[in-house]
Amino acid sequence: MTLIFAILLVITSLLMLVLVLMHKGKGGGLSDMFGGGVSASVGGSSVAERNLDRLTIAVGLVWAASIVALGLLV
């Protein structure tokens, strides 16, 4: 069981790294990559950016849960 949570932790850690790097910074991000730069500068977030936020939160929750599970098992 510990091995499963350890593998899950590694996978979610790598996903978190990629997802955070894809977020929009001061100069751009995923929404600018797909042509949403004009709509994002006018106001509000683009659909791609909102979906990226949701995916990052979901992966972050799985990441945190796997850390807690590993802490309880070890």
Side-chain angles (χ1 to χ4, degrees):
M1 196 66 163
T2 305
L3 180 64
I4 293 171
F5 283 116
I7 291 171
L8 183 65
L9 181 64
V10 169
I11 291 171
T12 54
S13 296
L14 293 174
L15 275 173
M16 284 295 290
L17 177 73
V18 170
L19 290 171
V20 167
L21 288 175
M22 286 176 67
H23 272 279
K24 182 178 181 181
K26 289 185 179 180
L30 180 68
S31 58
D32 286 342
M33 231 186 293
F34 295 112
V38 175
S39 64
S41 63
V42 172
S45 297
S46 69
V47 174
E49 198 70 33
R50 282 189 303 236
N51 288 335
L52 184 61
D53 289 341
R54 292 177 186 143
L55 185 61
T56 304
I57 290 170
V59 171
L61 289 174
V62 172
W63 179 77
S66 64
I67 288 176
V68 170
L70 272 174
L72 292 175
L73 288 174
V74 175

